């Protein structure tokens, strides 16, 4: 195979350099999708959050009374709480609305991990306004 040909491994390394996500996660996604991980801006995520109607599905893990108000996010791959996305926007506000983000992973209705500017965040999807900044050091347990 010629060196200049773009393989899944090369796309994964490029995604790792650009967004700071783990190489194995980037490779898994690049191999599965056949293309590099789709980037989106903080502006696009905020626009989707503020313009989308409330998601009316049934939360599989929580009763309707305890489930957070959510919208169906195409960028995050499914329903996401409004307040969690707004909290993420606040944490990344210093980077500006044009900051590029990448979806690293999603675990159903439990959590989603996004990377932006060398920072990684876990968005808890079963609670309102709950995110955790994840460690970037390889092998770190946080």
């Amino acid at each position: 195979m010629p060196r200049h040909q773009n393989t899944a491994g090369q796309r994964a390394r490029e995604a790792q350099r650009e967004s700071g996500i783990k190489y194995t996660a980037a490779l898994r996604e690049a191999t599965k999708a056949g293309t590099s991980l789709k980037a989106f801006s903080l502006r696009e995520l905020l626009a989707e959050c503020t313009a989308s109607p409330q998601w009316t599905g049934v939360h599989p893990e929580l009763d309707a009374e305890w489930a957070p108000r959510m919208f169906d996010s195409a960028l995050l791959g499914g329903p996401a709480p409004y307040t969690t996305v707004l909290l993420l926007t606040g944490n990344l506000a210093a980077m500006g609305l044009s900051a590029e983000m990448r979806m690293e992973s999603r675990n159903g209705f439990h959590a989603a991990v996004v990377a932006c500017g060398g920072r990684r965040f876990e968005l808890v999807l079963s609670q309102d306004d709950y995110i955790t900044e994840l460690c970037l050091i390889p092998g770190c347990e946080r």
Side-chain angles (χ1 to χ4, degrees):
M1 179 184 305
R3 294 189 133 222
H4 66 277
Q5 192 168 359
N6 197 6
T7 65
Q10 291 168 331
R11 290 191 304 268
R13 282 187 188 86
E14 182 180 312
Q16 180 188 27
R17 281 191 302 273
E18 290 177 6
S19 65
I21 65 174
K22 292 183 179 179
Y23 173 78
T24 53
L27 180 60
R28 188 178 322 116
E29 291 298 323
T31 303
K32 182 170 55 173
T35 60
S36 63
L37 300 173
K38 183 183 181 305
F40 54 92
S41 70
L42 185 56
R43 175 181 285 114
E44 291 172 304
L45 182 60
L46 185 57
E48 184 182 57
C49 175
T50 57
S52 297
Q54 185 170 344
W55 179 69
T56 57
V58 176
H59 199 292
E61 297 180 8
L62 301 170
D63 293 334
E65 137 182 32
W66 297 105
R69 291 185 51 214
M70 303 174 92
F71 69 99
D72 195 15
S73 173
L75 299 173
L76 296 178
Y82 289 105
T83 54
T84 300
V85 172
L86 294 175
L87 184 61
L88 176 66
T89 302
N91 282 326
L92 296 174
M95 298 180 78
L97 290 174
S98 60
E100 270 198 10
M101 305 176 74
R102 291 187 190 270
M103 173 85 158
E104 184 175 311
S105 65
R106 183 177 174 111
N107 181 4
F109 279 80
H110 178 66
V113 177
V114 296
C116 180
R119 296 171 72 187
R120 295 174 60 231
F121 295 91
E122 179 182 42
L123 287 68
V124 177
L125 304 175
S126 58
Q127 298 180 29
D128 278 327
D129 59 23
Y130 188 75
I131 65 171
T132 304
E133 187 162 0
L134 301 174
C135 185
L136 289 175
I137 299 170
C140 180
E141 294 181 11
R142 293 191 333 212

